[in-house]
Amino acid sequence: MSPAMYNASVPVFRQMLSALAGIIDKTIAHAEAKKIDPAVYANARLYPDMFPFARQIGVATDFAKGASARLAGVEVPKFEDTEVTLADLKARLQKTLDFLATLKPEQFQGAETRDITIQLRGTPTVFKGQPYLLHYALPNFYFHTTTAYAILRHNGIEIGKPDFIHQLITA
């Protein structure tokens, strides 16, 4: 059995979501030190027509749990999308990490060629597993994690590339 699809998804999502949790910790500490309402950061955005930080986290977790579940052939967990505080967002990240921890490499057997059907702009779209992961799920996941990082960096949180990369998984 080749664990390639598992290795290309779950550990990647875990690494980046853990990094976001660490960035939120730094944001909370920054807000406390500077006496800034943490809601400022949860609602911050790079441009008026872009999602705020809180929604970037929501979408990133949706891609992580959705892609992993679909590739593993299990039901996608439903989250309520009610997070408004940085603590709420950190809890959502942890809930996603907890779900990812339940997935095993053997569940991804055949995921490369598994049909994955999602709604895109109201239209059912069918992908094979590998193109779904490599050309749709991962690019979207990285877009939203990078944008979340950029929002906080733009707003003065002292974070850098090591915070974004977090702990490299070498095994």
Side-chain angles (χ1 to χ4, degrees):
M1 172 185 65
S2 169
M5 291 296 285
Y6 174 88
N7 289 336
S9 58
V10 174
V12 172
F13 295 138
R14 284 184 25 238
Q15 178 181 347
M16 298 308 297
L17 296 178
S18 295
L20 287 174
I23 288 170
I24 288 175
D25 287 341
K26 285 190 171 193
T27 303
I28 292 168
H30 176 87
E32 288 173 1
K34 301 289 185 180
K35 308 276 190 262
I36 298 172
D37 180 358
V40 168
Y41 300 108
N43 294 310
R45 58 183 82 215
L46 291 176
Y47 195 76
D49 69 350
M50 292 180 73
F51 288 152
F53 177 77
R55 189 70 187 122
Q56 300 292 347
I57 297 295
V59 175
T61 58
D62 286 347
F63 271 100
K65 69 184 172 70
S68 298
R70 290 180 187 102
L71 292 168
V74 300
E75 187 172 337
V76 177
K78 303 272 189 248
F79 293 178
E80 294 299 319
D81 296 329
T82 57
E83 299 82 13
V84 293
T85 69
L86 294 177
D88 292 342
L89 295 170
K90 190 162 179 204
R92 183 183 179 110
L93 289 166
Q94 188 58 55
K95 189 166 40 169
T96 306
L97 288 165
D98 291 345
F99 167 71
L100 295 174
T102 68
L103 300 175
K104 306 295 178 228
E106 55 270 12
Q107 292 174 284
F108 290 71
Q109 182 67 32
E112 297 89 347
T113 58
R114 184 172 290 145
D115 283 338
I116 307 290
T117 303
I118 59 170
Q119 293 288 321
L120 289 179
R121 297 181 184 97
T123 302
T125 304
V126 181
F127 292 89
K128 291 297 182 187
Q130 186 173 14
Y132 166 71
L133 177 64
L134 298 178
H135 302 293
Y136 179 75
L138 283 174
N140 275 284
F141 175 75
Y142 278 120
F143 175 86
H144 291 285
T145 57
T146 302
T147 303
Y149 165 88
I151 288 169
L152 296 180
R153 185 70 184 99
H154 175 75
N155 279 276
I157 307 303
E158 294 181 13
I159 52 178
K161 190 174 183 180
D163 298 295
F164 182 75
I165 299 298
H166 189 56
Q167 176 183 354
L168 293 178
I169 299 173
T170 58

